[in-house]
Amino acid sequence: GRMQPSRLVLVLGLLSGEESCDNFTDLNLSHCFMGTSLYVRLLLYTRSNLDCGRELDHHRLSSQPLFNLSRPTAFVIHGYRPTGAPPIWIDHIVHLLAEQEDMNVIVVDWNKGAANLNYFTAVTYTREAARNLTGFIMTMEEEGAALSSLHLIGVSLGAHLAGFVGANLKGKIGRITGLDPAGPMFTSTTPEERLDPSDAMFVDVLHTDMDSFGLRGAHGHIDFYANGGVDQPGCPKTIFAGKSYFVCDHQRSVFLFLCALNRTCSLTGYPCSSYGDFLDGRCLQCEAFKPASCPVLGYDISRWRETLLRLGQTKVFFSTTASLPYKKLSYRVDMVTWNQYLRWGVVYIRLHSGRHFTEARVDHKLLRLEQYTSTRLLAQFDEDLQHIQKISLRISTGNVIGPRYKIRLLRIRFTPLERPERPLMCRFDIIMDENMEVAFRPLPCNSPH
Amino acid sequence: MDIEMNSFTHNGNDAAPHSSNGPVTASNTADVTCRASEATETDSLLTVQVSASNGQSIPSSPTGIQKNAHTPTEPRTISNIRRELNEVVFWKVKMWMVIAFILLLILLVIIISVALCSAIHRDPDETFDPSLFKVPVYFNGSFLLPNLALKEEQVTSNYSNQSLSADLQNKLADLYRYSPALGRYFSKAEIRVLWNSSVTADYQLKFLMPEEQQDALRNFTLSREMVYNVFRQFLYDQEPGSSEPLYINPRSLKMF
């Protein structure tokens, strides 16, 4: 018969003396059902073998010429694999990490061990896998690698695994990034039994699913809470959506991090005590990080590292859209009314640029409009429109019957938060009916003198 | 009937421990409906027994209980209600007409009172007494009229200095008089035009405010920022690059 193209390549490869690729262990449901016992493989990817992993020998590091210990090394550690299939984001994260700088990317493949129907088995294997990886890193150190140049990126259970490795190495590892650290079995544990800031010189954590598979609380020097760390937009709300109902929120942490690595989304986190306070516009100051901005999720955290270490632990919040590029554009809106009597309402704002518009609905709670008192709110828009020609505003008080009240504003001011180069927009002396839209052309707030 | 009800109460209590024996009617029906699903022999017997008694007790019991009881006698209760609704109250007026009329009346009263309230509502922010506005506040400043400087010769022939000042005064007076926040306090605008290499206008705005609330007004509504920005906003809303002689360059606006 005819030779299959793939086999041809294999044969040619063998003839030219090249090794074949070592890929992530692919298991299926039957393996999970039977249960797997732990086997840790370390797959090396560098800029010269981005699509073809090379399995590393745990003890004889020099046997793999591509492994250069003078370069920084990032370890990617996956979590629990209930189906046994390789994580869909593995190739993507390897490519993106290699783009950041010239480094060794090591995928820690502990699929045999993580692929168990019984989650508790996988949890018990994390300790053992951590010992295994600790041994490997100690060998790396003996061969001349600096612990401070290591970066462990752990997803879910993998985040705790990375924490255990860091604790084994007395917190001397450069950085651990935890992507939605696993919650089940870790909720009421002590810091030694989960990821915590003492596990590495710098620990950053992203939370997306604290109310089911993720872990509540703060576990790093900086904790990013996407949409408050629970219920991500665009994720199904009911069980009828099938598998994605379970994994969507949890997996979003990986997709947000990938997007941040890709630089397609710059997600700025604002330091705050709670998401509610953040949405109320009470946490929009970034003075603590001056001259830098507020911390941005991603690979390069050098601008905030020192400040964050000085601050101890920082919780930062941001909101995202349902899909790529996830970023929302935030404006701080301040307005002052001269109405004698107090009014309560929710605010809808539309920014128009040509025929495009984007809307922010600030309706998570009623705003208080009091005479001569500045009301501050956070307006987050899905789209980033550049030249805003018109703004329309509606204040909905919920009054349906009775007299139609008027709302009178002395001033409304829009401050773009993530674009300091853009001008502040203002409008003065507005009169509007409640529940009715009013449109106006904004003018620059700063007068020439 | 009473005897039947009592016997049921005891049975019900035996099966599902209820502490109180007092409230018989309401809790009984509820108990029965729940227990009907548990298919034991005695229960089904009980259900039959009690539902029969319920059916009899309906005419004298409040309607709430009828809703709760999902018993086979429901078609009969409906026909009972229908019969009652069709009872003649007086002349040819039937019961259902009386009920419908009362409901309509209630609705009408609500609508009328709401409409009345809206109609007689006076906006407290629109009511003010101009005779109380006595304390004057002045704002001075200047602006440039670029279109006059360009074609000075032609314009001077059309425009006497006085008429230009008067037109500008009207323009300023209109802009402040139609301002929702400032209109009521505005008194007058005075203009003095200087013909140099460029045409500059010096202006003085006079506002009158009440003696009460002076501080709040000075800090907010009649602050320099507000008076200045209402003017500036008006200028920004003009057609940019207009050739109109009274066009004022927004960037040249100054207020001290």
Side-chain angles (χ1 to χ4, degrees), chain B residues 38-51:
Chain B
E38 295 169 26
T40 60
E41 268 181 72
T42 46
D43 283 350
S44 62
L45 272 174
L46 268 174
T47 326
V48 173
Q49 198 183 355
V50 173
S51 57

Side-chain angles (χ1 to χ4, degrees), chain A residues 336 338-341 371-372 401-403 405-406 408 410-411 427-429 431 441 443-449, chain B residues 114 118 121 123-126 179-181 184 216-217 220-221 225-226 228-230 232-233 236-237 251 254-255:
Chain A
V336 183
W338 58 277
N339 274 51
Q340 281 178 51
Y341 292 97
Q371 189 181 32
Y372 301 146
I401 52 168
Y405 294 110
K406 284 190 158 56
R408 302 165 170 86
L410 285 176
R411 185 202 67 203
R427 188 75 193 180
F428 301 87
D429 201 13
I431 186 161
R441 203 164 84 177
L443 58 151
C445 295
N446 298 338
S447 52
H449 72 117
Chain B
V114 164
S118 313
H121 169 77
D123 194 332
D125 291 308
E126 294 292 343
S179 151
R184 67 192 60 175
L217 280 173
F220 293 95
T221 310
E225 189 212 355
M226 187 66 186
Y228 171 70
N229 278 307
V230 166
R232 197 167 70 96
Q233 178 166 293
Y236 267 94
D237 286 350
R251 298 191 157 273
K254 290 192 170 57
M255 190 178 286

Side-chain angles (χ1 to χ4, degrees), chain A residues 344-362:
Chain A
W344 297 84
V346 295
V347 178
Y348 304 98
I349 301 167
R350 278 183 184 176
L351 305 180
H352 301 258
S353 175
R355 287 161 64 199
H356 294 277
F357 74 86
T358 176
E359 190 182 41
R361 308 167 76 88
V362 190

Side-chain angles (χ1 to χ4, degrees), chain A residues 16-293:
Chain A
S16 61
E18 270 180 35
E19 302 163 55
S20 57
C21 301
D22 298 308
N23 292 322
F24 194 93
T25 312
D26 192 0
L27 304 175
N28 56 40
L29 266 177
S30 66
H31 292 106
C32 298
F33 203 75
M34 306 287 286
T36 53
S37 45
L38 184 67
Y39 183 79
V40 180
R41 294 169 74 216
L42 301 168
L43 308 175
L44 173 74
Y45 297 83
T46 65
R47 282 186 177 175
S48 34
N49 65 321
L50 266 182
D51 297 302
C52 178
R54 295 289 157 83
E55 188 169 346
L56 291 173
D57 189 306
H58 279 61
H59 304 289
R60 294 188 301 114
L61 305 188
S62 50
S63 65
Q64 179 46 259
L66 286 169
F67 192 30
N68 182 349
L69 287 174
S70 61
R71 287 197 293 241
T73 304
F75 291 82
V76 178
I77 310 168
H78 64 85
Y80 174 51
R81 306 300 310 159
T83 64
I88 49 171
W89 39 265
I90 278 286
D91 290 338
H92 200 177
I93 202 169
V94 165
H95 277 86
L96 288 175
L97 283 170
E99 268 173 35
Q100 311 298 319
E101 57 185 306
D102 192 9
M103 61 171 155
N104 311 302
V105 180
I106 297 179
V107 172
V108 180
D109 170 6
W110 62 293
N111 207 8
K112 284 187 179 163
N116 270 296
L117 271 191
N118 186 353
Y119 172 72
F120 306 106
T121 316
V123 171
T124 45
Y125 279 140
T126 49
R127 285 281 181 187
E128 212 177 308
R131 271 197 294 278
N132 185 305
L133 189 55
T134 310
F136 177 77
I137 291 175
M138 284 160 91
T139 316
M140 276 177 74
E141 195 187 11
E142 282 161 23
E143 305 259 331
L147 287 185
S148 62
S149 69
L150 304 188
H151 182 183
L152 272 56
I153 299 166
V155 180
S156 186
L157 263 188
H160 296 300
L161 202 161
F164 298 150
V165 173
N168 289 343
L169 295 163
K170 309 270 186 303
K172 282 187 271 184
I173 280 177
R175 180 179 174 191
I176 293 178
T177 299
L179 301 178
D180 210 29
M185 294 294 286
F186 292 92
T187 39
S188 49
T189 51
T190 58
E192 293 80 52
E193 293 168 304
R194 54 166 168 78
L195 177 65
D196 73 292
S198 71
D199 291 337
M201 291 156 74
F202 186 82
V203 179
D204 54 329
V205 182
L206 171 62
H207 299 271
T208 55
D209 192 23
M210 294 195 298
D211 55 346
S212 60
F213 294 133
L215 182 58
R216 288 186 183 280
H219 309 287
H221 293 103
I222 184 165
D223 283 73
F224 288 89
Y225 298 87
N227 304 296
V230 293
D231 297 334
Q232 303 303 311
C235 282
K237 292 264 182 290
T238 62
I239 200 159
F240 302 110
K243 185 188 165 199
S244 82
Y245 169 71
F246 296 101
V247 298
C248 180
D249 289 329
H250 197 40
Q251 220 171 30
R252 184 62 64 85
S253 63
V254 179
F255 293 133
L256 290 178
F257 191 69
L258 289 176
C259 185
L261 288 180
N262 206 357
R263 296 199 175 82
T264 36
C265 37
S266 101
L267 299 164
T268 306
Y270 292 89
C272 203
S273 55
S274 76
Y275 189 52
D277 281 356
F278 166 72
L279 288 180
D280 289 347
R282 275 185 242 153
C283 304
L284 307 176
Q285 294 84 17
C286 301
E287 267 73 32
F289 301 97
K290 278 208 162 149
S293 65

Side-chain angles (χ1 to χ4, degrees), chain B residues 35-183:
Chain B
R35 304 191 79 257
S37 58
E38 295 169 26
T40 60
E41 268 181 72
T42 46
D43 283 350
S44 62
L45 272 174
L46 268 174
T47 326
V48 173
Q49 198 183 355
V50 173
S51 57
S53 71
N54 271 344
Q56 285 167 13
S57 66
I58 276 166
S60 60
S61 63
T63 47
I65 293 174
Q66 291 171 14
K67 275 185 187 168
N68 283 342
H70 297 283
T71 54
T73 51
E74 221 160 46
R76 247 173 67 196
T77 42
I78 290 170
S79 70
N80 276 351
I81 295 169
R82 192 171 293 159
R83 202 181 58 232
E84 283 185 34
L85 283 176
N86 281 321
E87 261 174 35
V88 176
V89 182
F90 60 88
W91 193 43
K92 279 178 182 175
V93 180
K94 288 177 179 170
M95 190 57 140
W96 66 267
M97 295 180 187
V98 175
I99 295 174
F101 177 74
I102 292 170
L103 285 177
L104 264 173
L105 199 74
I106 294 171
L107 209 72
L108 212 72
V109 168
I110 293 172
I111 291 172
I112 288 173
S113 52
V114 164
L116 229 107
C117 260
S118 313
I120 62 167
H121 169 77
R122 283 179 68 205
D123 194 332
D125 291 308
E126 294 292 343
T127 42
F128 55 90
D129 183 0
S131 65
L132 293 175
F133 295 175
K134 284 174 184 152
V135 184
V137 196
Y138 295 96
F139 295 93
N140 300 307
S142 67
F143 52 82
L144 289 179
L145 295 155
N147 290 354
L148 290 184
L150 281 171
K151 32 189 178 175
E152 202 176 324
E153 313 82 38
Q154 306 149 14
V155 172
T156 37
S157 55
N158 300 347
Y159 253 123
S160 73
N161 213 344
Q162 263 155 4
S163 70
L164 175 62
S165 299
D167 283 359
L168 282 171
Q169 269 168 31
N170 287 337
K171 188 171 176 165
L172 259 68
D174 279 352
L175 109 80
Y176 279 109
R177 220 168 266 140
Y178 289 117
S179 151
L182 302 177

